[in-house]
Amino acid sequence: MSRTAIITGGGRGIGRGCAHELARQGCDIVLVDLIPEDLANTRAEIEQLGRKCLAFEADVSSFDRAHDIVAEVETDCGAIDVLVNNAGKSNTSGIAEITEESFDRTIEINLKGVFNWTHAVAPGMLARNAGRIVMMSSVNAHTGGVTSAVSRFAYTTAKAGLLGMTRALAKELAPHIYVNAVCPGVIETERSNDMIRARKDELVRGISLGRTGTPADVANVVAFLALSEPCFITGQDITIDGFQWVI
Ligand code: NAD
């Protein structure tokens, strides 16, 4: 049976990796992203895998846009089985230099954006008594991530908020809708490549598995949480960091 999965921020990086893996495991894919060229490229790749793919240019921080797109997808595809709340953006400012506007924007994308999309898909999932939601948090939510060059406290605050949202919604939406989170560590993507290249030796020395992660490392776990049957896991987060012990 074909399933439909929405992946926010699906144009590149970890989101693109999740789109590939879910498509390989039989899902039709709905991509949501800011960048039209990335949407077009990833859409073509998914279609090459033989799956249907819809692509929407949208900012996850728009509540109305999330609801309009979900209504359109439900009309077109019948139902939404999986939502991967992946879109996110780092913020390199410390507390002394960050502006109110910059803090608000970080929360708006990384936390409020997840609320927007979850709020849009939840009624349909509840009506059908089925659905899987996966949040893209970060190992920073557990560690604080204070020495990371790409993401500091505002981002960490949002990603930790996602873990609270995951637990609360796992209870509220039970027993038929499963809500889990993943917490990636250092994953090589367009966003993080410059930082990783500059500090690769130092970073790898602090990772027990002796390498940085790839989008596929994350996508495998997301697909497990999104598709595995039977499943007795909800309200949890899984860290995917190769056991990073220097932070
Ligand atoms: P990336 O920048 O390579 O990809 C993010 C995608 O999200 C891009 O296609 C971007 O256009 C899209 N996006 C950003 N803001 C958006 C918005 N407002 N609306 C719609 N789309 C938007 O980043 P990535 O490294 O693939 O990160 C993906 C997710 O994983 C993020 O939530 C990030 O915080 C999280 N994460 C990444 C790492 C890492 O090391 N790369 C580690 C932990 C968590």
Side-chain angles (χ1 to χ4, degrees):
M1 187 192 63
S2 166
R3 283 176 278 197
T4 299
I6 296 182
I7 299 141
T8 67
R12 70 178 201 183
I14 293 172
R16 172 173 166 267
C18 292
H20 277 229
E21 188 54 37
L22 292 172
R24 257 185 237 113
Q25 295 197 30
C27 293
D28 292 331
I29 301 294
V30 179
L31 302 169
V32 178
D33 207 293
L34 291 173
I35 304 170
E37 299 76 39
D38 291 341
L39 279 170
N41 291 339
T42 304
R43 180 184 187 168
E45 292 164 359
I46 298 302
E47 287 171 348
Q48 281 284 312
L49 293 170
R51 303 308 318 180
K52 175 173 171 170
C53 186
L54 305 176
F56 294 91
E57 189 182 333
D59 186 328
V60 289
S61 65
S62 168
F63 181 87
D64 290 344
R65 188 89 173 105
H67 288 73
D68 289 348
I69 293 171
V70 165
E72 195 175 327
V73 172
E74 284 174 336
T75 303
D76 195 329
C77 304
I80 294 159
D81 301 282
V82 174
L83 169 65
V84 182
N85 276 310
N86 165 76
K89 197 168 183 338
S90 52
N91 189 326
T92 55
S93 300
I95 186 73
E97 67 263 15
I98 196 167
T99 63
E100 181 185 11
E101 189 187 18
S102 171
F103 182 83
D104 285 348
R105 184 67 184 143
T106 297
I107 299 299
E108 199 176 54
I109 296 171
N110 293 289
L111 190 56
K112 168 77 167 19
V114 174
F115 159 73
N116 291 337
W117 281 84
T118 306
H119 187 270
V121 303
M125 289 181 172
L126 284 168
R128 290 184 308 108
N129 281 335
R132 302 278 181 101
I133 299 172
V134 183
M135 314 295 198
M136 195 61 64
S137 181
S138 166
V139 73
N140 286 17
H142 292 294
T143 64
V146 286
T147 62
S148 167
V150 292
S151 47
R152 295 181 70 182
F153 83 98
Y155 170 87
T156 300
T157 301
K159 293 298 189 183
L162 283 186
L163 299 187
M165 198 192 293
T166 298
R167 293 183 198 113
L169 289 180
K171 289 186 174 173
E172 187 176 322
L173 298 177
H176 300 297
I177 298 161
Y178 299 58
V179 187
N180 290 291
V182 293
C183 294
V186 182
I187 309 297
E188 294 203 32
T189 65
E190 288 85 340
R191 174 184 89 142
S192 60
N193 274 345
D194 289 348
M195 181 279 288
I196 290 176
R197 244 177 255 127
R199 302 173 56 200
K200 182 123 186 176
D201 291 348
E202 172 202 345
L203 288 168
V204 167
R205 268 198 303 277
I207 297 171
S208 301
L209 293 186
R211 65 172 179 88
T212 50
T214 65
D217 288 320
V218 181
N220 275 336
V221 181
V222 169
F224 167 74
L225 292 171
L227 301 176
S228 68
E229 295 279 2
C231 185
F232 198 43
I233 301 172
T234 193
Q236 304 304 308
D237 64 275
I238 299 180
T239 294
I240 309 166
D241 71 343
F243 198 20
Q244 186 181 332
W245 48 274
V246 175
I247 55 174

